Amino acid sequence: FFRAFKQNFKQGLCLTLLAFLIILLLTADFWLLSKVQIPGEVLLRIVLYIIVFLVVTVMSYVFPLVARFSCTIKKHLKNALLLGVSCPLTTVMLVVVNLAPYLFLMLKPGWFFRVLPLFTLIWTGAAAYLNSWLLLKLFQRIQRKSDGK
């Protein structure tokens, strides 16, 4: 565990900082969009939601790719995007699992804060398990294909 942690720490940290920066910029975009009335606001919101979906897709794949395969950060990001596009069902399931807390917060804010401790204890483990299960199947299929070449 510690050897793998040490090997992947630098890439993981760079990707985390990149994700944080992108999330910060997207949050600022949504906040500004809510404060300013501009023509084409609906179109801008749709574009921002598509960007959010792409960012969550790439981030859902890139960290497991770093843990499983040895590549450069740029190659991991490219592979994450390619996997996200080429495996739409897995991608949608990963995005739903990873965005579930945020969707729940937006849909039921009062309930969210009532169940937050339970949600934190149960959902973090359940989400990690579901992500691992989905990605393990996908990675095994990819490795079987690459081994067969």
Side-chain angles (χ1 to χ4, degrees), residues 40-77:
E41 180 180 340
V42 173
L43 182 63
L44 270 173
R45 281 190 187 279
I46 291 170
V47 169
L48 282 175
Y49 282 123
I50 291 170
I51 292 171
V52 166
F53 183 82
L54 287 172
V55 168
V56 172
T57 296
V58 169
M59 290 304 150
S60 295
Y61 283 105
V62 77
F63 290 105
L65 283 170
V66 167
R68 183 98 177 184
F69 303 103
S70 294
C71 291
T72 64
I73 290 176
K74 186 177 178 179
K75 185 78 169 167
H76 280 309
L77 289 169

PDB file of all heavy atoms in Angstrom, residues 40-77:
ATOM      1  N   GLY A  40     -28.979  34.726 -23.589  1.00  0.00           N
ATOM      2  CA  GLY A  40     -28.398  33.406 -23.812  1.00  0.00           C
ATOM      3  C   GLY A  40     -28.012  32.696 -22.536  1.00  0.00           C
ATOM      4  O   GLY A  40     -27.186  31.787 -22.555  1.00  0.00           O
ATOM      5  N   GLU A  41     -28.591  33.108 -21.410  1.00  0.00           N
ATOM      6  CA  GLU A  41     -28.244  32.513 -20.118  1.00  0.00           C
ATOM      7  C   GLU A  41     -28.544  31.011 -20.083  1.00  0.00           C
ATOM      8  O   GLU A  41     -27.759  30.229 -19.550  1.00  0.00           O
ATOM      9  CB  GLU A  41     -29.021  33.222 -19.003  1.00  0.00           C
ATOM     10  CG  GLU A  41     -28.749  32.683 -17.625  1.00  0.00           C
ATOM     11  CD  GLU A  41     -29.544  33.407 -16.566  1.00  0.00           C
ATOM     12  OE1 GLU A  41     -30.015  34.527 -16.795  1.00  0.00           O
ATOM     13  OE2 GLU A  41     -29.700  32.818 -15.481  1.00  0.00           O
ATOM     14  N   VAL A  42     -29.664  30.622 -20.675  1.00  0.00           N
ATOM     15  CA  VAL A  42     -30.029  29.201 -20.682  1.00  0.00           C
ATOM     16  C   VAL A  42     -28.996  28.387 -21.455  1.00  0.00           C
ATOM     17  O   VAL A  42     -28.575  27.318 -21.003  1.00  0.00           O
ATOM     18  CB  VAL A  42     -31.442  29.009 -21.288  1.00  0.00           C
ATOM     19  CG1 VAL A  42     -31.775  27.545 -21.457  1.00  0.00           C
ATOM     20  CG2 VAL A  42     -32.481  29.711 -20.435  1.00  0.00           C
ATOM     21  N   LEU A  43     -28.567  28.905 -22.583  1.00  0.00           N
ATOM     22  CA  LEU A  43     -27.554  28.220 -23.380  1.00  0.00           C
ATOM     23  C   LEU A  43     -26.235  28.106 -22.613  1.00  0.00           C
ATOM     24  O   LEU A  43     -25.588  27.053 -22.621  1.00  0.00           O
ATOM     25  CB  LEU A  43     -27.343  28.947 -24.711  1.00  0.00           C
ATOM     26  CG  LEU A  43     -26.332  28.313 -25.660  1.00  0.00           C
ATOM     27  CD1 LEU A  43     -26.801  26.928 -26.084  1.00  0.00           C
ATOM     28  CD2 LEU A  43     -26.115  29.202 -26.862  1.00  0.00           C
ATOM     29  N   LEU A  44     -25.855  29.173 -21.937  1.00  0.00           N
ATOM     30  CA  LEU A  44     -24.631  29.126 -21.129  1.00  0.00           C
ATOM     31  C   LEU A  44     -24.727  28.097 -20.009  1.00  0.00           C
ATOM     32  O   LEU A  44     -23.763  27.381 -19.730  1.00  0.00           O
ATOM     33  CB  LEU A  44     -24.342  30.509 -20.525  1.00  0.00           C
ATOM     34  CG  LEU A  44     -23.487  31.428 -21.367  1.00  0.00           C
ATOM     35  CD1 LEU A  44     -23.412  32.813 -20.751  1.00  0.00           C
ATOM     36  CD2 LEU A  44     -22.095  30.867 -21.543  1.00  0.00           C
ATOM     37  N   ARG A  45     -25.880  28.023 -19.357  1.00  0.00           N
ATOM     38  CA  ARG A  45     -26.075  27.023 -18.304  1.00  0.00           C
ATOM     39  C   ARG A  45     -25.948  25.603 -18.867  1.00  0.00           C
ATOM     40  O   ARG A  45     -25.325  24.749 -18.243  1.00  0.00           O
ATOM     41  CB  ARG A  45     -27.424  27.189 -17.626  1.00  0.00           C
ATOM     42  CG  ARG A  45     -27.453  28.281 -16.618  1.00  0.00           C
ATOM     43  CD  ARG A  45     -28.748  28.234 -15.790  1.00  0.00           C
ATOM     44  NE  ARG A  45     -28.819  29.385 -14.952  1.00  0.00           N
ATOM     45  CZ  ARG A  45     -28.189  29.515 -13.791  1.00  0.00           C
ATOM     46  NH1 ARG A  45     -27.452  28.548 -13.335  1.00  0.00           N
ATOM     47  NH2 ARG A  45     -28.306  30.617 -13.081  1.00  0.00           N
ATOM     48  N   ILE A  46     -26.535  25.378 -20.023  1.00  0.00           N
ATOM     49  CA  ILE A  46     -26.440  24.053 -20.647  1.00  0.00           C
ATOM     50  C   ILE A  46     -24.984  23.709 -20.953  1.00  0.00           C
ATOM     51  O   ILE A  46     -24.521  22.598 -20.679  1.00  0.00           O
ATOM     52  CB  ILE A  46     -27.318  23.999 -21.918  1.00  0.00           C
ATOM     53  CG1 ILE A  46     -28.792  24.041 -21.533  1.00  0.00           C
ATOM     54  CG2 ILE A  46     -27.008  22.754 -22.747  1.00  0.00           C
ATOM     55  CD1 ILE A  46     -29.740  24.230 -22.693  1.00  0.00           C
ATOM     56  N   VAL A  47     -24.247  24.674 -21.495  1.00  0.00           N
ATOM     57  CA  VAL A  47     -22.828  24.458 -21.797  1.00  0.00           C
ATOM     58  C   VAL A  47     -22.051  24.162 -20.509  1.00  0.00           C
ATOM     59  O   VAL A  47     -21.213  23.252 -20.470  1.00  0.00           O
ATOM     60  CB  VAL A  47     -22.231  25.678 -22.546  1.00  0.00           C
ATOM     61  CG1 VAL A  47     -20.721  25.596 -22.625  1.00  0.00           C
ATOM     62  CG2 VAL A  47     -22.840  25.787 -23.932  1.00  0.00           C
ATOM     63  N   LEU A  48     -22.339  24.908 -19.448  1.00  0.00           N
ATOM     64  CA  LEU A  48     -21.655  24.663 -18.170  1.00  0.00           C
ATOM     65  C   LEU A  48     -21.983  23.284 -17.611  1.00  0.00           C
ATOM     66  O   LEU A  48     -21.106  22.600 -17.081  1.00  0.00           O
ATOM     67  CB  LEU A  48     -22.013  25.746 -17.155  1.00  0.00           C
ATOM     68  CG  LEU A  48     -21.292  27.079 -17.328  1.00  0.00           C
ATOM     69  CD1 LEU A  48     -21.824  28.113 -16.345  1.00  0.00           C
ATOM     70  CD2 LEU A  48     -19.796  26.917 -17.163  1.00  0.00           C
ATOM     71  N   TYR A  49     -23.234  22.850 -17.719  1.00  0.00           N
ATOM     72  CA  TYR A  49     -23.599  21.510 -17.240  1.00  0.00           C
ATOM     73  C   TYR A  49     -22.902  20.422 -18.061  1.00  0.00           C
ATOM     74  O   TYR A  49     -22.486  19.399 -17.505  1.00  0.00           O
ATOM     75  CB  TYR A  49     -25.116  21.310 -17.260  1.00  0.00           C
ATOM     76  CG  TYR A  49     -25.824  21.984 -16.105  1.00  0.00           C
ATOM     77  CD1 TYR A  49     -26.828  22.911 -16.326  1.00  0.00           C
ATOM     78  CD2 TYR A  49     -25.473  21.697 -14.792  1.00  0.00           C
ATOM     79  CE1 TYR A  49     -27.473  23.532 -15.271  1.00  0.00           C
ATOM     80  CE2 TYR A  49     -26.104  22.316 -13.732  1.00  0.00           C
ATOM     81  CZ  TYR A  49     -27.105  23.223 -13.972  1.00  0.00           C
ATOM     82  OH  TYR A  49     -27.730  23.844 -12.922  1.00  0.00           O
ATOM     83  N   ILE A  50     -22.748  20.647 -19.343  1.00  0.00           N
ATOM     84  CA  ILE A  50     -22.013  19.681 -20.172  1.00  0.00           C
ATOM     85  C   ILE A  50     -20.547  19.630 -19.743  1.00  0.00           C
ATOM     86  O   ILE A  50     -19.956  18.550 -19.630  1.00  0.00           O
ATOM     87  CB  ILE A  50     -22.148  20.039 -21.675  1.00  0.00           C
ATOM     88  CG1 ILE A  50     -23.582  19.786 -22.131  1.00  0.00           C
ATOM     89  CG2 ILE A  50     -21.153  19.245 -22.523  1.00  0.00           C
ATOM     90  CD1 ILE A  50     -23.902  20.325 -23.509  1.00  0.00           C
ATOM     91  N   ILE A  51     -19.968  20.789 -19.471  1.00  0.00           N
ATOM     92  CA  ILE A  51     -18.573  20.832 -18.998  1.00  0.00           C
ATOM     93  C   ILE A  51     -18.445  20.133 -17.650  1.00  0.00           C
ATOM     94  O   ILE A  51     -17.495  19.367 -17.424  1.00  0.00           O
ATOM     95  CB  ILE A  51     -18.059  22.291 -18.934  1.00  0.00           C
ATOM     96  CG1 ILE A  51     -17.944  22.865 -20.344  1.00  0.00           C
ATOM     97  CG2 ILE A  51     -16.723  22.372 -18.209  1.00  0.00           C
ATOM     98  CD1 ILE A  51     -17.667  24.356 -20.393  1.00  0.00           C
ATOM     99  N   VAL A  52     -19.404  20.361 -16.754  1.00  0.00           N
ATOM    100  CA  VAL A  52     -19.381  19.680 -15.449  1.00  0.00           C
ATOM    101  C   VAL A  52     -19.434  18.170 -15.655  1.00  0.00           C
ATOM    102  O   VAL A  52     -18.685  17.421 -15.022  1.00  0.00           O
ATOM    103  CB  VAL A  52     -20.550  20.152 -14.552  1.00  0.00           C
ATOM    104  CG1 VAL A  52     -20.744  19.241 -13.363  1.00  0.00           C
ATOM    105  CG2 VAL A  52     -20.320  21.580 -14.100  1.00  0.00           C
ATOM    106  N   PHE A  53     -20.319  17.712 -16.536  1.00  0.00           N
ATOM    107  CA  PHE A  53     -20.419  16.285 -16.812  1.00  0.00           C
ATOM    108  C   PHE A  53     -19.094  15.731 -17.326  1.00  0.00           C
ATOM    109  O   PHE A  53     -18.644  14.669 -16.897  1.00  0.00           O
ATOM    110  CB  PHE A  53     -21.551  16.009 -17.813  1.00  0.00           C
ATOM    111  CG  PHE A  53     -21.767  14.550 -18.081  1.00  0.00           C
ATOM    112  CD1 PHE A  53     -22.524  13.781 -17.212  1.00  0.00           C
ATOM    113  CD2 PHE A  53     -21.202  13.944 -19.198  1.00  0.00           C
ATOM    114  CE1 PHE A  53     -22.716  12.437 -17.451  1.00  0.00           C
ATOM    115  CE2 PHE A  53     -21.391  12.595 -19.442  1.00  0.00           C
ATOM    116  CZ  PHE A  53     -22.154  11.834 -18.562  1.00  0.00           C
ATOM    117  N   LEU A  54     -18.444  16.453 -18.241  1.00  0.00           N
ATOM    118  CA  LEU A  54     -17.157  16.004 -18.769  1.00  0.00           C
ATOM    119  C   LEU A  54     -16.075  15.982 -17.693  1.00  0.00           C
ATOM    120  O   LEU A  54     -15.265  15.053 -17.631  1.00  0.00           O
ATOM    121  CB  LEU A  54     -16.723  16.885 -19.938  1.00  0.00           C
ATOM    122  CG  LEU A  54     -17.499  16.689 -21.233  1.00  0.00           C
ATOM    123  CD1 LEU A  54     -17.106  17.752 -22.258  1.00  0.00           C
ATOM    124  CD2 LEU A  54     -17.263  15.305 -21.793  1.00  0.00           C
ATOM    125  N   VAL A  55     -16.052  16.995 -16.845  1.00  0.00           N
ATOM    126  CA  VAL A  55     -15.055  17.046 -15.768  1.00  0.00           C
ATOM    127  C   VAL A  55     -15.265  15.892 -14.798  1.00  0.00           C
ATOM    128  O   VAL A  55     -14.310  15.204 -14.407  1.00  0.00           O
ATOM    129  CB  VAL A  55     -15.096  18.410 -15.036  1.00  0.00           C
ATOM    130  CG1 VAL A  55     -14.286  18.376 -13.757  1.00  0.00           C
ATOM    131  CG2 VAL A  55     -14.596  19.514 -15.948  1.00  0.00           C
ATOM    132  N   VAL A  56     -16.516  15.659 -14.406  1.00  0.00           N
ATOM    133  CA  VAL A  56     -16.802  14.547 -13.487  1.00  0.00           C
ATOM    134  C   VAL A  56     -16.465  13.218 -14.156  1.00  0.00           C
ATOM    135  O   VAL A  56     -15.922  12.310 -13.509  1.00  0.00           O
ATOM    136  CB  VAL A  56     -18.271  14.587 -13.005  1.00  0.00           C
ATOM    137  CG1 VAL A  56     -18.617  13.347 -12.211  1.00  0.00           C
ATOM    138  CG2 VAL A  56     -18.522  15.832 -12.183  1.00  0.00           C
ATOM    139  N   THR A  57     -16.748  13.106 -15.437  1.00  0.00           N
ATOM    140  CA  THR A  57     -16.404  11.883 -16.171  1.00  0.00           C
ATOM    141  C   THR A  57     -14.908  11.633 -16.141  1.00  0.00           C
ATOM    142  O   THR A  57     -14.454  10.544 -15.778  1.00  0.00           O
ATOM    143  CB  THR A  57     -16.893  11.990 -17.633  1.00  0.00           C
ATOM    144  OG1 THR A  57     -18.311  12.066 -17.641  1.00  0.00           O
ATOM    145  CG2 THR A  57     -16.438  10.806 -18.454  1.00  0.00           C
ATOM    146  N   VAL A  58     -14.144  12.636 -16.514  1.00  0.00           N
ATOM    147  CA  VAL A  58     -12.684  12.474 -16.553  1.00  0.00           C
ATOM    148  C   VAL A  58     -12.136  12.190 -15.150  1.00  0.00           C
ATOM    149  O   VAL A  58     -11.310  11.295 -14.972  1.00  0.00           O
ATOM    150  CB  VAL A  58     -12.008  13.715 -17.183  1.00  0.00           C
ATOM    151  CG1 VAL A  58     -10.507  13.683 -16.992  1.00  0.00           C
ATOM    152  CG2 VAL A  58     -12.353  13.805 -18.663  1.00  0.00           C
ATOM    153  N   MET A  59     -12.616  12.908 -14.156  1.00  0.00           N
ATOM    154  CA  MET A  59     -12.116  12.694 -12.795  1.00  0.00           C
ATOM    155  C   MET A  59     -12.547  11.336 -12.237  1.00  0.00           C
ATOM    156  O   MET A  59     -11.846  10.754 -11.414  1.00  0.00           O
ATOM    157  CB  MET A  59     -12.581  13.825 -11.873  1.00  0.00           C
ATOM    158  CG  MET A  59     -11.919  15.153 -12.173  1.00  0.00           C
ATOM    159  SD  MET A  59     -10.118  15.016 -12.108  1.00  0.00           S
ATOM    160  CE  MET A  59      -9.645  16.249 -13.280  1.00  0.00           C
ATOM    161  N   SER A  60     -13.677  10.817 -12.685  1.00  0.00           N
ATOM    162  CA  SER A  60     -14.128   9.500 -12.238  1.00  0.00           C
ATOM    163  C   SER A  60     -13.219   8.395 -12.764  1.00  0.00           C
ATOM    164  O   SER A  60     -13.078   7.352 -12.128  1.00  0.00           O
ATOM    165  CB  SER A  60     -15.558   9.234 -12.709  1.00  0.00           C
ATOM    166  OG  SER A  60     -16.454  10.121 -12.108  1.00  0.00           O
ATOM    167  N   TYR A  61     -12.628   8.612 -13.918  1.00  0.00           N
ATOM    168  CA  TYR A  61     -11.743   7.601 -14.509  1.00  0.00           C
ATOM    169  C   TYR A  61     -10.270   7.836 -14.213  1.00  0.00           C
ATOM    170  O   TYR A  61      -9.501   6.885 -14.103  1.00  0.00           O
ATOM    171  CB  TYR A  61     -11.921   7.571 -16.038  1.00  0.00           C
ATOM    172  CG  TYR A  61     -13.151   6.864 -16.515  1.00  0.00           C
ATOM    173  CD1 TYR A  61     -14.245   7.579 -16.984  1.00  0.00           C
ATOM    174  CD2 TYR A  61     -13.231   5.478 -16.528  1.00  0.00           C
ATOM    175  CE1 TYR A  61     -15.374   6.933 -17.448  1.00  0.00           C
ATOM    176  CE2 TYR A  61     -14.357   4.825 -16.981  1.00  0.00           C
ATOM    177  CZ  TYR A  61     -15.428   5.559 -17.437  1.00  0.00           C
ATOM    178  OH  TYR A  61     -16.540   4.912 -17.892  1.00  0.00           O
ATOM    179  N   VAL A  62      -9.849   9.091 -14.106  1.00  0.00           N
ATOM    180  CA  VAL A  62      -8.409   9.371 -14.091  1.00  0.00           C
ATOM    181  C   VAL A  62      -7.727   8.874 -12.811  1.00  0.00           C
ATOM    182  O   VAL A  62      -6.613   8.338 -12.879  1.00  0.00           O
ATOM    183  CB  VAL A  62      -8.118  10.869 -14.353  1.00  0.00           C
ATOM    184  CG1 VAL A  62      -8.385  11.738 -13.145  1.00  0.00           C
ATOM    185  CG2 VAL A  62      -6.692  11.058 -14.836  1.00  0.00           C
ATOM    186  N   PHE A  63      -8.364   9.004 -11.657  1.00  0.00           N
ATOM    187  CA  PHE A  63      -7.702   8.556 -10.425  1.00  0.00           C
ATOM    188  C   PHE A  63      -7.548   7.035 -10.383  1.00  0.00           C
ATOM    189  O   PHE A  63      -6.477   6.536 -10.017  1.00  0.00           O
ATOM    190  CB  PHE A  63      -8.426   9.101  -9.192  1.00  0.00           C
ATOM    191  CG  PHE A  63      -8.256  10.591  -9.037  1.00  0.00           C
ATOM    192  CD1 PHE A  63      -9.294  11.458  -9.336  1.00  0.00           C
ATOM    193  CD2 PHE A  63      -7.055  11.130  -8.624  1.00  0.00           C
ATOM    194  CE1 PHE A  63      -9.139  12.824  -9.217  1.00  0.00           C
ATOM    195  CE2 PHE A  63      -6.874  12.498  -8.502  1.00  0.00           C
ATOM    196  CZ  PHE A  63      -7.923  13.351  -8.802  1.00  0.00           C
ATOM    197  N   PRO A  64      -8.564   6.269 -10.761  1.00  0.00           N
ATOM    198  CA  PRO A  64      -8.347   4.821 -10.846  1.00  0.00           C
ATOM    199  C   PRO A  64      -7.310   4.432 -11.903  1.00  0.00           C
ATOM    200  O   PRO A  64      -6.566   3.470 -11.713  1.00  0.00           O
ATOM    201  CB  PRO A  64      -9.734   4.272 -11.215  1.00  0.00           C
ATOM    202  CG  PRO A  64     -10.687   5.289 -10.712  1.00  0.00           C
ATOM    203  CD  PRO A  64      -9.984   6.603 -10.888  1.00  0.00           C
ATOM    204  N   LEU A  65      -7.243   5.176 -12.999  1.00  0.00           N
ATOM    205  CA  LEU A  65      -6.215   4.898 -14.003  1.00  0.00           C
ATOM    206  C   LEU A  65      -4.821   5.119 -13.438  1.00  0.00           C
ATOM    207  O   LEU A  65      -3.908   4.331 -13.702  1.00  0.00           O
ATOM    208  CB  LEU A  65      -6.421   5.781 -15.243  1.00  0.00           C
ATOM    209  CG  LEU A  65      -7.535   5.376 -16.192  1.00  0.00           C
ATOM    210  CD1 LEU A  65      -7.767   6.474 -17.239  1.00  0.00           C
ATOM    211  CD2 LEU A  65      -7.237   4.061 -16.864  1.00  0.00           C
ATOM    212  N   VAL A  66      -4.656   6.169 -12.668  1.00  0.00           N
ATOM    213  CA  VAL A  66      -3.348   6.445 -12.041  1.00  0.00           C
ATOM    214  C   VAL A  66      -2.972   5.309 -11.092  1.00  0.00           C
ATOM    215  O   VAL A  66      -1.818   4.878 -11.049  1.00  0.00           O
ATOM    216  CB  VAL A  66      -3.372   7.799 -11.287  1.00  0.00           C
ATOM    217  CG1 VAL A  66      -2.157   7.954 -10.391  1.00  0.00           C
ATOM    218  CG2 VAL A  66      -3.449   8.948 -12.277  1.00  0.00           C
ATOM    219  N   ALA A  67      -3.956   4.805 -10.357  1.00  0.00           N
ATOM    220  CA  ALA A  67      -3.682   3.726  -9.405  1.00  0.00           C
ATOM    221  C   ALA A  67      -3.360   2.408 -10.108  1.00  0.00           C
ATOM    222  O   ALA A  67      -2.602   1.596  -9.585  1.00  0.00           O
ATOM    223  CB  ALA A  67      -4.884   3.535  -8.485  1.00  0.00           C
ATOM    224  N   ARG A  68      -3.906   2.211 -11.293  1.00  0.00           N
ATOM    225  CA  ARG A  68      -3.786   0.908 -11.963  1.00  0.00           C
ATOM    226  C   ARG A  68      -2.690   0.856 -13.023  1.00  0.00           C
ATOM    227  O   ARG A  68      -2.074  -0.179 -13.223  1.00  0.00           O
ATOM    228  CB  ARG A  68      -5.139   0.571 -12.592  1.00  0.00           C
ATOM    229  CG  ARG A  68      -5.238  -0.743 -13.270  1.00  0.00           C
ATOM    230  CD  ARG A  68      -5.866  -1.742 -12.390  1.00  0.00           C
ATOM    231  NE  ARG A  68      -6.003  -2.993 -13.128  1.00  0.00           N
ATOM    232  CZ  ARG A  68      -6.591  -4.020 -12.637  1.00  0.00           C
ATOM    233  NH1 ARG A  68      -7.115  -3.973 -11.439  1.00  0.00           N
ATOM    234  NH2 ARG A  68      -6.658  -5.128 -13.320  1.00  0.00           N
ATOM    235  N   PHE A  69      -2.474   1.956 -13.731  1.00  0.00           N
ATOM    236  CA  PHE A  69      -1.549   1.963 -14.867  1.00  0.00           C
ATOM    237  C   PHE A  69      -0.489   3.038 -14.691  1.00  0.00           C
ATOM    238  O   PHE A  69      -0.712   4.045 -14.037  1.00  0.00           O
ATOM    239  CB  PHE A  69      -2.308   2.217 -16.176  1.00  0.00           C
ATOM    240  CG  PHE A  69      -3.400   1.216 -16.448  1.00  0.00           C
ATOM    241  CD1 PHE A  69      -4.729   1.545 -16.224  1.00  0.00           C
ATOM    242  CD2 PHE A  69      -3.101  -0.045 -16.913  1.00  0.00           C
ATOM    243  CE1 PHE A  69      -5.738   0.625 -16.464  1.00  0.00           C
ATOM    244  CE2 PHE A  69      -4.101  -0.973 -17.158  1.00  0.00           C
ATOM    245  CZ  PHE A  69      -5.424  -0.636 -16.935  1.00  0.00           C
ATOM    246  N   SER A  70       0.653   2.839 -15.344  1.00  0.00           N
ATOM    247  CA  SER A  70       1.745   3.817 -15.292  1.00  0.00           C
ATOM    248  C   SER A  70       1.799   4.588 -16.613  1.00  0.00           C
ATOM    249  O   SER A  70       2.119   4.007 -17.654  1.00  0.00           O
ATOM    250  CB  SER A  70       3.085   3.124 -15.063  1.00  0.00           C
ATOM    251  OG  SER A  70       3.109   2.527 -13.797  1.00  0.00           O
ATOM    252  N   CYS A  71       1.455   5.860 -16.548  1.00  0.00           N
ATOM    253  CA  CYS A  71       1.505   6.749 -17.721  1.00  0.00           C
ATOM    254  C   CYS A  71       1.774   8.164 -17.229  1.00  0.00           C
ATOM    255  O   CYS A  71       1.807   8.420 -16.029  1.00  0.00           O
ATOM    256  CB  CYS A  71       0.159   6.755 -18.460  1.00  0.00           C
ATOM    257  SG  CYS A  71      -0.256   5.237 -19.297  1.00  0.00           S
ATOM    258  N   THR A  72       1.902   9.063 -18.166  1.00  0.00           N
ATOM    259  CA  THR A  72       2.017  10.473 -17.808  1.00  0.00           C
ATOM    260  C   THR A  72       0.627  11.011 -17.459  1.00  0.00           C
ATOM    261  O   THR A  72      -0.389  10.398 -17.804  1.00  0.00           O
ATOM    262  CB  THR A  72       2.588  11.290 -18.978  1.00  0.00           C
ATOM    263  OG1 THR A  72       1.668  11.232 -20.072  1.00  0.00           O
ATOM    264  CG2 THR A  72       3.955  10.765 -19.407  1.00  0.00           C
ATOM    265  N   ILE A  73       0.599  12.154 -16.805  1.00  0.00           N
ATOM    266  CA  ILE A  73      -0.679  12.772 -16.442  1.00  0.00           C
ATOM    267  C   ILE A  73      -1.488  13.078 -17.696  1.00  0.00           C
ATOM    268  O   ILE A  73      -2.692  12.824 -17.749  1.00  0.00           O
ATOM    269  CB  ILE A  73      -0.449  14.049 -15.606  1.00  0.00           C
ATOM    270  CG1 ILE A  73       0.081  13.673 -14.223  1.00  0.00           C
ATOM    271  CG2 ILE A  73      -1.726  14.855 -15.479  1.00  0.00           C
ATOM    272  CD1 ILE A  73       0.435  14.840 -13.348  1.00  0.00           C
ATOM    273  N   LYS A  74      -0.817  13.611 -18.713  1.00  0.00           N
ATOM    274  CA  LYS A  74      -1.507  13.943 -19.960  1.00  0.00           C
ATOM    275  C   LYS A  74      -2.134  12.694 -20.578  1.00  0.00           C
ATOM    276  O   LYS A  74      -3.274  12.719 -21.033  1.00  0.00           O
ATOM    277  CB  LYS A  74      -0.511  14.592 -20.923  1.00  0.00           C
ATOM    278  CG  LYS A  74      -1.123  15.101 -22.192  1.00  0.00           C
ATOM    279  CD  LYS A  74      -0.070  15.789 -23.048  1.00  0.00           C
ATOM    280  CE  LYS A  74      -0.671  16.253 -24.360  1.00  0.00           C
ATOM    281  NZ  LYS A  74       0.316  16.930 -25.190  1.00  0.00           N
ATOM    282  N   LYS A  75      -1.410  11.599 -20.579  1.00  0.00           N
ATOM    283  CA  LYS A  75      -1.913  10.336 -21.141  1.00  0.00           C
ATOM    284  C   LYS A  75      -3.076   9.803 -20.304  1.00  0.00           C
ATOM    285  O   LYS A  75      -4.058   9.301 -20.853  1.00  0.00           O
ATOM    286  CB  LYS A  75      -0.768   9.322 -21.218  1.00  0.00           C
ATOM    287  CG  LYS A  75      -1.131   8.042 -21.893  1.00  0.00           C
ATOM    288  CD  LYS A  75      -1.141   8.210 -23.392  1.00  0.00           C
ATOM    289  CE  LYS A  75      -1.254   6.832 -24.028  1.00  0.00           C
ATOM    290  NZ  LYS A  75      -1.561   6.913 -25.432  1.00  0.00           N
ATOM    291  N   HIS A  76      -2.967   9.920 -18.986  1.00  0.00           N
ATOM    292  CA  HIS A  76      -4.077   9.491 -18.122  1.00  0.00           C
ATOM    293  C   HIS A  76      -5.336  10.303 -18.403  1.00  0.00           C
ATOM    294  O   HIS A  76      -6.441   9.746 -18.466  1.00  0.00           O
ATOM    295  CB  HIS A  76      -3.702   9.628 -16.642  1.00  0.00           C
ATOM    296  CG  HIS A  76      -2.860   8.518 -16.117  1.00  0.00           C
ATOM    297  ND1 HIS A  76      -3.178   7.192 -16.265  1.00  0.00           N
ATOM    298  CD2 HIS A  76      -1.702   8.542 -15.412  1.00  0.00           C
ATOM    299  CE1 HIS A  76      -2.260   6.432 -15.682  1.00  0.00           C
ATOM    300  NE2 HIS A  76      -1.347   7.237 -15.157  1.00  0.00           N
ATOM    301  N   LEU A  77      -5.187  11.607 -18.549  1.00  0.00           N
ATOM    302  CA  LEU A  77      -6.349  12.458 -18.838  1.00  0.00           C
ATOM    303  C   LEU A  77      -6.967  12.100 -20.191  1.00  0.00           C
ATOM    304  O   LEU A  77      -8.195  12.015 -20.322  1.00  0.00           O
ATOM    305  CB  LEU A  77      -5.948  13.935 -18.808  1.00  0.00           C
ATOM    306  CG  LEU A  77      -5.630  14.492 -17.421  1.00  0.00           C
ATOM    307  CD1 LEU A  77      -4.984  15.860 -17.537  1.00  0.00           C
ATOM    308  CD2 LEU A  77      -6.869  14.548 -16.556  1.00  0.00           C
TER     309      LEU A  77
END
